Amino acid sequence: MISKDIPLIGFTLFCQLSVGTLILYNLIIFLPTFRNKSHLPSHFKAIPVLAFAFAIIAVLFSVFHLGRPVKAVLTLENMSSSWLSREIFMMMIYLFFSGLFTLFIFVMSGWKRLMLVMLNLATISGIILIFFMSRIYSSMPIPAWQSLFNFLNFAATTLATGGILLLLIQIQSGSLSGQQSLAWILGIVLLLEILFIPIFLSYLDQNSHASQLSLKLLLEDYTLIFYFRLGFQLLSLGLISIAIVNIRSDTDRCKRLLWPVIGGTFFIFLNEIFGRILFYAIEVPLGSL
Amino acid sequence: MSQYGFYIDSSCCSGCKTCQVACKDKNDLDQGMMWRRVYEVSGGSWEQRPNGGWNPQISTYNLSIACNHCEDPACVDACPTKALYKDSEKGFVLIDPEKCVGCRYCEWACPYGALQYNEDLGIMTKCDFCKDYLEVGNEPSCVSSCPLRAIDYGELSELQEKYGLVSQVHPMPDPKLTKPSLVIGPHRESETAKINKARIANLEEVKND
């Protein structure tokens, strides 16, 4: 990996963490309380603040990626053909709605319908943002980034990072709402990430010369990172499986899951960081010129 | 709008890299930056004859590649600030340094490695076809410096008429991607190079990082 990729790794991961947190917060926490007309527990109000803070950190990382950050505003000029312009535009929309929702949850908490609209708009713009982010890479003449795996990879990271953060907050606060669903979502996402590995390797092997070079980089030059990542994936899947099996409607029992979930969080984040390092490392353009 | 392009005669290029050096000199390029690069393509091995002797079955040739000022430039589409644009007069792909923010997105988009990052200025740089030379009636520095006269330039349609329509040899990318304004005089071994799985032998030397 080269140092120029660090801001990109930071930007993409924090963006996905923010969007993933907000999507699952909407589906698993906010929507049920809205439907049941129940009161939103105070510790759940901190989650949108976290999601918004992650988005701001992502923006800061993206600025470090530019050679001339002072002219960053110019990046919105080519919406007609540049996926990067579109991504930056969508990032602003996402920041606007998630920021507005975060503000509403503290100052206008009685206006639940309006808050739901804001949260839905933030969620939709977040999903579009992740899609645009994946399109930036899949539109490049780089075979390792061109397959459907690219979008699946971005979607999986979004759900895995957001999901584990929410699960950790819920277990830590002793709240039982949606824990089982979150643990299942995480388990399925992690299992799919692992199952995709051999299919992706075979795709690289059977594609162009450039994709074979990507495979060579992955298995020879970055072999240690590749196998460490696989180890982190298996460990996090194991720890999340413990959570799936043991989450019951018993608060004390759930609290005993705190350490496995902390471990799962640690390994999921390591897995995603290593995954992104590998993602940029196997960039080999078509023709290799 | 006319479209200018380069002609590269790979069949007679000796790989001396004078074009590369002349370009660096003219544009005062820093270490590691090469707007024109000479790729050494080589592959194949030795085959044993029935009498026990050995015959070389190899493919080896050089490709001098700069920006191909493509008809459909992927870098222009990718650039979020419109710093990269296609010149309306001669079809050059140029960069407005005032608009470039140095996001390096064009670096990924170009399949020819034409865009190069200037660490000191924080912006992308590339071959501008020595348009300042052309304006005063001189040839681009790579063309005039080639001791074997393996590089030519001019109106693309005229180059195609004169030298043919080949714009890709192994292991260059598919020209359908960006429609490069390039004509190549293929080396006789370029056909067998694909079979021999010829590779770029001097990758460390030519890669941008």
Side-chain angles (χ1 to χ4, degrees):
Chain A
M1 189 190 64
I2 31 184
S3 57
K4 75 175 164 105
D5 295 333
I6 293 172
L8 282 177
I9 292 172
F11 169 72
T12 51
L13 284 180
F14 273 102
C15 237
Q16 289 169 108
L17 173 61
S18 171
V19 173
T21 306
L22 216 58
I23 291 172
L24 293 170
Y25 174 79
N26 189 349
L27 294 177
I28 294 187
I29 295 169
F30 192 83
L31 210 55
T33 59
F34 178 78
R35 278 191 183 145
N36 303 334
K37 294 182 179 163
S38 54
H39 184 67
L40 192 69
S42 60
H43 64 269
F44 282 155
K45 289 185 178 178
I47 297 170
V49 180
L50 273 179
F52 185 67
F54 293 144
I56 296 289
I57 296 170
V59 172
L60 292 177
F61 266 109
S62 77
V63 167
F64 284 113
H65 165 61
L66 298 178
R68 287 201 301 188
V70 285
K71 294 200 169 186
V73 70
L74 291 173
T75 50
L76 289 167
E77 281 210 7
N78 196 7
M79 299 276 285
S80 61
S81 71
S82 172
W83 283 104
L84 186 56
S85 281
R86 292 168 190 163
E87 182 216 45
I88 292 163
F89 175 73
M90 202 41 75
M91 181 79 204
M92 290 168 71
I93 301 286
Y94 173 72
L95 274 174
F96 176 75
F97 285 125
S98 59
L100 213 55
F101 174 73
T102 308
L103 192 70
F104 276 18
I105 210 165
F106 286 102
V107 297
M108 296 171 87
S109 54
W111 296 42
K112 277 201 159 183
R113 191 167 290 277
L114 188 62
M115 282 165 59
L116 183 67
V117 172
M118 285 303 139
L119 182 56
N120 283 340
L121 287 170
T123 305
I124 293 165
S125 55
I127 294 168
I128 299 171
L129 169 66
I130 299 300
F131 172 70
F132 283 3
M133 195 185 278
S134 74
R135 281 296 288 145
I136 284 181
Y137 299 99
S138 62
S139 62
M140 295 292 109
I142 296 166
W145 293 350
Q146 282 177 329
S147 69
L148 179 67
F149 293 107
N150 187 51
F151 177 68
L152 294 176
N153 176 20
F154 275 84
T157 304
T158 304
L159 293 176
T161 51
I164 193 67
L165 185 79
L166 273 190
L167 186 64
L168 182 65
I169 292 171
Q170 279 183 305
I171 299 252
Q172 205 271 335
S173 64
S175 167
L176 295 169
S177 111
Q179 280 186 8
Q180 190 81 321
S181 319
L182 271 176
W184 272 107
I185 289 172
L186 276 168
I188 292 167
V189 168
L190 290 168
L191 185 66
L192 286 177
E193 270 193 349
I194 295 168
L195 292 177
F196 281 151
I197 294 172
I199 307 171
F200 179 61
L201 296 184
S202 138
Y203 159 80
L204 288 180
D205 188 42
Q206 285 164 26
N207 217 292
S208 60
H209 168 57
S211 74
Q212 286 165 7
L213 284 179
S214 292
L215 180 66
K216 191 170 171 279
L217 276 171
L218 197 61
L219 297 180
E220 290 177 18
D221 297 34
Y222 290 88
T223 178
L224 211 57
I225 296 179
F226 176 79
Y227 284 110
F228 263 113
R229 188 196 178 201
L230 188 61
F232 296 145
Q233 283 175 319
L234 291 169
L235 278 169
S236 45
L237 182 62
L239 290 166
I240 294 304
S241 303
I242 293 174
I244 291 173
V245 172
N246 288 290
I247 287 174
R248 297 282 185 275
S249 54
D250 170 0
T251 313
D252 286 339
R253 193 166 173 182
C254 280
K255 279 206 165 179
R256 283 200 293 273
L257 289 174
L258 185 62
W259 281 107
V261 173
I262 287 175
T265 310
F266 179 70
F267 289 123
I268 283 179
F269 279 96
L270 277 180
N271 155 30
E272 298 303 342
I273 292 167
F274 276 44
R276 201 44 51 86
I277 291 170
L278 291 173
F279 178 81
Y280 289 112
I282 60 169
E283 172 231 321
V284 179
L286 275 171
S288 313
L289 278 180
Chain B
M1 181 187 86
S2 66
Q3 176 63 61
Y4 268 50
F6 285 115
Y7 165 69
I8 309 296
D9 190 352
S10 176
S11 69
C12 79
C13 175
S14 68
C16 70
K17 293 167 193 167
T18 309
C19 54
Q20 195 174 287
V21 175
C23 174
K24 275 182 80 83
D25 183 40
K26 190 263 170 182
N27 296 297
D28 200 16
L29 301 182
D30 212 345
Q31 189 183 354
M33 284 174 65
M34 287 182 287
W35 289 355
R36 180 169 285 283
R37 300 159 305 285
V38 178
Y39 294 86
E40 298 169 6
V41 185
S42 72
S45 76
W46 295 83
E47 254 178 27
Q48 197 163 24
R49 291 198 303 263
N51 66 2
W54 291 86
N55 271 353
Q57 294 294 330
I58 55 160
S59 312
T60 178
Y61 50 91
N62 303 294
L63 281 170
S64 173
I65 302 289
C67 171
N68 295 314
H69 302 274
C70 304
E71 216 181 304
D72 190 9
C75 58
V76 172
D77 284 345
C79 178
T81 66
K82 290 189 176 172
L84 280 156
Y85 64 98
K86 200 137 171 73
D87 161 63
S88 56
E89 208 184 318
K90 291 191 166 78
F92 301 147
V93 173
L94 301 172
I95 188 159
D96 179 350
E98 287 306 307
K99 279 187 166 183
C100 180
V101 291
C103 67
R104 305 181 74 160
Y105 189 30
C106 52
E107 199 178 14
W108 283 336
C110 173
Y112 299 97
L115 279 301
Q116 310 215 339
Y117 186 64
N118 184 320
E119 205 78 55
D120 296 334
L121 300 175
I123 57 168
M124 301 308 294
T125 62
K126 66 182 290 300
C127 158
D128 63 357
F129 220 102
C130 289
K131 61 183 174 59
D132 51 339
Y133 278 11
L134 294 189
E135 277 163 15
V136 293
N138 291 333
E139 295 177 321
S141 63
C142 54
V143 175
S144 59
S145 65
C146 179
L148 294 167
R149 293 282 167 256
I151 310 178
D152 197 0
Y153 78 104
E155 177 70 48
L156 182 64
S157 55
E158 287 170 18
L159 291 176
Q160 287 171 334
E161 208 173 294
K162 199 169 164 187
Y163 301 113
L165 293 169
V166 178
S167 59
Q168 187 237 2
V169 291
H170 179 80
M172 291 174 71
D174 188 339
K176 281 184 208 147
L177 283 173
T178 58
K179 298 181 190 157
S181 305
L182 176 72
V183 178
I184 298 175
H187 191 276
R188 64 177 186 279
E189 286 160 8
S190 63
E191 285 296 312
T192 53
K194 199 168 183 177
I195 304 159
N196 285 338
K197 292 184 178 172
R199 300 282 183 260
I200 294 159
N202 62 336
L203 207 54
E204 285 300 310
E205 182 190 324
V206 292
K207 71 178 181 184
N208 294 343
D209 297 328

